[in-house]
Amino acid sequence: QSSKFKAYLCNGTVEIRDREDMNAIFANGFFGKGSHSKSKPTESPSEVLCLLLEEAFFLSAFVTCLDIYCEKSRETQAAFGIDIKQPKTCKELGPCDLWTSFCKANPQFPERYAVYHHFRSRGWIVKSGIKFGADFLFYKDSPEKIHASYSVVVHSIDNFPQSEPMLSPSALDFAALERLTRMSRNAAKALMICLVGCEVGSQRMLPPEVSPRDKKNSADPALSTATNEEVSVPLSDEKMQPGRSSWLVQPLVVEKWFPKDRKLT
């Protein structure tokens, strides 16, 4: 049985082209961005709704409301590592194919999706943060009504052990951290560093494991509080095979220390 909405891979991005599909996807969760606008798609005949790879995978593999197709074009097949044989001109991609293709398009996709899935499934609206030099922006409500609460940078940690309660951010580039902190502060946002690692024994480049409990939790509209705690992220989809990969995400909210404002005692 086909899902309601259709999207197409196009030169490294995912596009929704049907007018009704565009409006419905954006209205129900603020997914995507109009190709000719800053947010909501316009009425321009050439307008398409562009999805982040993380948004596309979430809607297709987790929410299961989106069918994604790869058209037979040299640029698209090269970007996503997909080979479409004759005489097909369009190929529908399942969750495992999408995961492999998105990892090909962006080698950091597994870590980015772990962060996206964790916060989006807990009620946060997650948008691209490239405008502010970050990976994502986190909103508590409609991006058309309020500014983002956090600028988010995803930082990969190798061999993330389950037994270690906290990870030192000593490996971070503190010059870049200073620039991001200043930029976020000037834009009235807090900076969040998400340390992400694949659990020991998991295979990073394979799709996530099945977790029905995670799917149940996604219906909870309550917003989670971003704190400096370690959380387990069981990513899931009923169509995927179990035992693939499991991720841990540790969000750290960064605040700049001003000696004149905070005296030592």
Side-chain angles (χ1 to χ4, degrees), residues 81-100:
I82 299 173
D83 184 21
I84 300 178
K85 304 295 184 181
Q86 291 282 4
K88 290 185 176 181
T89 59
C90 196
K91 177 183 179 181
E92 183 177 356
L93 303 177
C96 291
D97 290 333
L98 284 174
W99 184 269
T100 301

Side-chain angles (χ1 to χ4, degrees), residues 82-124:
I82 299 173
D83 184 21
I84 300 178
K85 304 295 184 181
Q86 291 282 4
K88 290 185 176 181
T89 59
C90 196
K91 177 183 179 181
E92 183 177 356
L93 303 177
C96 291
D97 290 333
L98 284 174
W99 184 269
T100 301
S101 299
F102 289 172
C103 289
K104 169 72 174 179
N106 184 350
Q108 295 303 312
F109 175 76
E111 288 80 9
R112 286 173 55 90
Y113 182 75
V115 172
Y116 180 92
H117 182 109
H118 174 66
F119 285 94
R120 181 77 218 205
S121 64
R122 284 158 177 78
W124 290 89

Side-chain angles (χ1 to χ4, degrees), residues 180-191 256 258 261:
L180 286 168
T181 304
R182 182 177 294 275
M183 184 177 293
S184 297
R185 185 180 179 88
N186 290 342
K189 297 170 179 54
L191 176 63
K256 190 169 182 179
F258 295 96
D261 297 333

Side-chain angles (χ1 to χ4, degrees), residues 10-246:
C10 182
N11 299 334
T13 187
V14 181
E15 296 180 353
I16 296 178
R17 299 166 182 172
D18 180 82
R19 176 65 55 186
E20 293 185 1
D21 287 1
M22 283 193 289
N23 292 333
I25 286 286
F26 187 85
N28 291 278
F30 305 101
F31 293 97
K33 171 191 172 298
S35 56
H36 299 320
S37 68
K38 294 182 178 180
S39 182
K40 184 178 180 179
T42 66
E43 296 299 322
S44 170
S46 60
E47 180 84 295
V48 297
L49 186 69
C50 300
L51 298 176
L52 298 175
L53 299 185
E54 295 78 20
E55 289 178 313
F57 190 85
F58 184 82
L59 290 171
S60 178
F62 183 70
V63 183
T64 64
C65 71
L66 185 69
D67 286 334
I68 301 180
Y69 298 85
C70 180
E71 295 180 320
K72 189 173 182 179
S73 77
R74 184 175 301 176
E75 294 80 6
T76 297
Q77 291 184 71
F80 290 100
I82 299 173
D83 184 21
I84 300 178
K85 304 295 184 181
Q86 291 282 4
K88 290 185 176 181
T89 59
C90 196
K91 177 183 179 181
E92 183 177 356
L93 303 177
C96 291
D97 290 333
L98 284 174
W99 184 269
T100 301
S101 299
F102 289 172
C103 289
K104 169 72 174 179
N106 184 350
Q108 295 303 312
F109 175 76
E111 288 80 9
R112 286 173 55 90
Y113 182 75
V115 172
Y116 180 92
H117 182 109
H118 174 66
F119 285 94
R120 181 77 218 205
S121 64
R122 284 158 177 78
W124 290 89
I125 296 172
V126 184
K127 308 296 287 185
S128 172
I130 191 171
K131 181 178 178 181
F132 297 96
D135 291 297
F136 298 117
L137 297 177
F138 288 171
Y139 294 82
K140 291 184 178 180
D141 201 348
S142 166
E144 297 181 316
K145 296 180 180 179
I146 63 172
H147 293 289
S149 300
Y150 297 99
S151 296
V152 182
V153 175
V154 178
H155 186 73
S156 177
I157 300 293
D158 294 330
N159 300 320
F160 200 152
Q162 292 178 290
S163 59
E164 190 172 344
M166 288 290 289
L167 291 177
S168 171
S170 57
L172 297 177
D173 183 343
F174 282 98
L177 189 61
E178 169 65 21
R179 292 192 292 269
L180 286 168
T181 304
R182 182 177 294 275
M183 184 177 293
S184 297
R185 185 180 179 88
N186 290 342
K189 297 170 179 54
L191 176 63
M192 181 188 294
I193 306 294
C194 282
L195 304 178
V196 188
C198 192
E199 288 187 358
V200 174
S202 293
Q203 300 186 51
R204 175 181 176 274
M205 298 304 289
L206 292 179
E209 64 182 346
V210 172
S211 176
R213 183 172 61 89
D214 193 35
K215 199 150 191 171
K216 181 179 179 181
N217 288 344
S218 68
D220 185 358
L223 295 177
S224 62
T225 302
T227 57
N228 297 353
E229 62 183 4
E230 181 181 321
V231 292
S232 177
V233 187
L235 311 184
S236 67
D237 175 66
E238 292 175 348
K239 297 179 182 178
M240 294 183 183
Q241 298 178 6
R244 292 305 187 92
S245 62
S246 186

